[in-house]
Amino acid sequence: MSGDHSHSEDQVDGGSRFNDSHKHKDKYKEKEHKHKDHKKDKERDKSKHGNSDHKDSSDKKHRDKEKMKHKDGSTDKYKDKHKEKRKEEKMKSFDGKVKKEKENGFASPHVKSEPEDDIYHSPKHEKSLKRERDDDNDSEFKPKKIKTEIKTENDKRAKKRKPDEDTKSKKTKNKKGEVADGKKKAKKEPEEKWKWWEEERYTDGSKWKFLEHKGPVFAPPYEPLPSNVKFYYDGKHMKLSPGAEEVATFFAKMLDHEYTTKDIFRKNFFKDWRKEMTAEEKAKLTDLKKCDFSEMSDYFKAQSEARKAMTKDEKLKIKAENERLLQEYGFCIMDNHKERIANFRIEPPGLFRGRGDHPKMGMLKRRIRPQDIIINCSKDSEHPKPPPGTKWKEVRHDNKVTWLVSWTENIQGSIKYIMLNPSSRIKGEKDWQKYETARRLKKCVDRIRNQYREDWKSKEMRIRQRAVALYFIDKLALRAGNEKEEGETADTVGCCSLRVEHIKLYPENDGQEYVVEFDFLGKDSIRYYNKVPVEKRVFKNLQLFMENKEPDDDLFDRLNTSVLNKHLQELMDGLTAKVFRTYNASITLQQQLKELTSGEDNVPAKILSYNRANRAVAILCNHQRAPPKTFEKSMQNLQTKIDAKRGQLSDAKRDLKSAKADAKIRRDEKSKKTVETKKKAVQRIEEQLMKLEVQATDREENKQIALGTSKLNYLDPRISVAWCKKWGIPVEKIYNKTQREKFAWAIDMAEDDYEF
DNA sequence: TAAAAGACTTGGAACAATGTTC
DNA sequence: GAACATTGTTCCAAGTCTTTTA
């Protein structure tokens, strides 16, 4: 598995996946937080190292050495401590729901020092390719890189551009250069799109020089229920205080949702709801089961129906108002350009909807007020005004970050941000940089693979673990798997946080040797199930890692994401675990496109090929979705259409046949024409039929797979653009409007010969 | 230096808008 | 133009990785 190609084949075909594997299965529910009274880690460690019946004697020697080495290793200490805590927790709480002390992070302490250079490099007016990076050098992305080098690089690249692009770009050249210090307000954005990718990037670590915006839009205030909408407790009407009523409506709005049947959700909700009640209410309302929210629920349903049934005019009015809000708050000015803000509305209060078995689901997400808000903007901009009579928590001017507004949410205590749209310069640059890093990995991936294969034989356990984990991250596109605070979130894992219970080893399975079965909940509690044959050495290592461990012990007990990423950083500048996902996704797309696209195919067939290539990536990355509720029905409908079309086709063919026969007898122009018309009709119907059949295939194959995430986040858009150009497929068939805006840089720069 | 905080990307579901069919 | 299907957009949770703090 040294070359890209074979490697990727592994990825595409490797393992049996997607066998009805959507989301946390019952198994997990049962398994969750099982209470076990197992021995402490240190004891385990001892017994492990002392264990003498290892099959592989060299392994044993290694372990013995390891024992010495790790006696005082900080990493181990950490892991042990961590595990002890986890175990303590498990022992403490029967159902594992008791919270645990905060404990996370492993972040490497190294801080990149960036030269403090406040001089704004004003962009050049002449056509430049400052940002077009070559695969061998994405150092332009690093602020440290000095300008002269950039120029040289770009001069080199400038030749690559086609002349017609040059004229195009002249026309759309932005006006940035006119205001050298970037501090004056922008002139009106020209109608043409700004090509930020043709400009120079900041090299001083700053993200902008000028930022002005209007602040966030707050959630509308609570509107009390009309008096005829009643709440009942224990069958009796009860008028709730406004605070309690508001929280009650959050629950009522979700009444039809599965959430409200879940114990944790109900428990959390009730606890938080009670906090909002008056003393009197608190005394009276003691049992959620006795609460009757149905009138509220019906009221909201009726409201939603009414909204749907609104007249055209009313709908238009709302639309106009939304548009007004968008125009006023939805844009900011960043360095002379009007840029779209992604989420300018503050999240409204409601009940927290954690995914999977989230211990905090149902908790009250409190309303965010101006005094919770931190504004970030330029000193010399017109600062956003807080609503009358209120104050912002803080107004700061930090141009080393990209966010405009932030606040701390009350469920996890984490910070939320308002940032720019994906089409913005600031997001686009980062995105581009991501793919360039992945392309650099392409150049050294063989070396890295060879290295981790070597490391499988290392004397040090931590190195072996690191190497095996990296193999999985590379081969299976697993996520890194940061440590998580137990009890704070759903129990999900990634590679480094895999536990013994998440894998099963089969020396032989279905005629294959050394098979590993993965079964765990990953991000968003989406199940990852995969059976993959691995190399013997990996297999033996896994056996070793699992020795004398309990099911809920860490598989890689001498590894965490910080250690792994530090190692990766040494292998390649800028390399982290997630780069492998980007790299493998993009390279897989490129290979699959090459393999699947046939020049003779028509456009729909080519698009099917594209979707199949996209699908291969989505499967690799385990991007699953719940099959749409209407899936079966819509498949049926499609089949009906296909059948009808087939009928139509045979009719048309019969017509053609008789027309031909007719023409043979008559031998006149009119009947000849008729034959032509009939011929065309047959052709048209054949095409339509083919289209429908392709659609059916595509849909069936896509039942449980979500293509969007990989398309938006993992696939270098230049691959798709190049493919479109090469085969004459309109790019609109692959990317919708929003996606085209996000990938404008790629659409503009990629030619048909682009190679990832 | 480990832990915590902060910043930013990735993720599927829900909702809204648009397209299609009758 | 109503009803339904499909596609696009928004929402906000949950990851990764970096930076700061104690």
Side-chain angles (χ1 to χ4, degrees), chain A residues 291-302:
Chain A
C291 295
D292 179 359
F293 301 93
S294 55
E295 274 193 23
M296 289 187 193
S297 172
D298 292 345
Y299 170 71
F300 292 121
K301 274 183 218 159

Side-chain angles (χ1 to χ4, degrees), chain A residues 11-12 14-23 25 518 526-531 614-627 700-707:
Chain A
Q11 286 159 340
V12 174
S16 49
R17 214 100 73 74
F18 284 104
N19 42 354
D20 82 322
S21 64
H22 193 71
K23 286 212 172 172
K25 292 240 150 156
F518 291 83
I526 300 244
R527 186 183 179 200
Y528 182 92
Y529 179 82
N530 199 1
K531 250 185 188 175
N614 192 167
R615 200 142 44 230
V617 176
I619 290 170
L620 171 68
C621 294
N622 200 38
H623 291 145
Q624 299 190 49
R625 63 168 181 174
E700 184 63 48
E701 290 177 358
N702 227 30
K703 185 177 178 182
Q704 285 186 276
I705 298 165
L707 299 184

Side-chain angles (χ1 to χ4, degrees), chain A residues 634-646 696:
Chain A
S634 92
M635 268 328 268
Q636 239 171 31
N637 288 348
L638 198 52
Q639 196 51 52
T640 315
K641 268 192 203 170
I642 289 172
D643 293 344
K645 198 53 84 180
R646 284 200 180 124

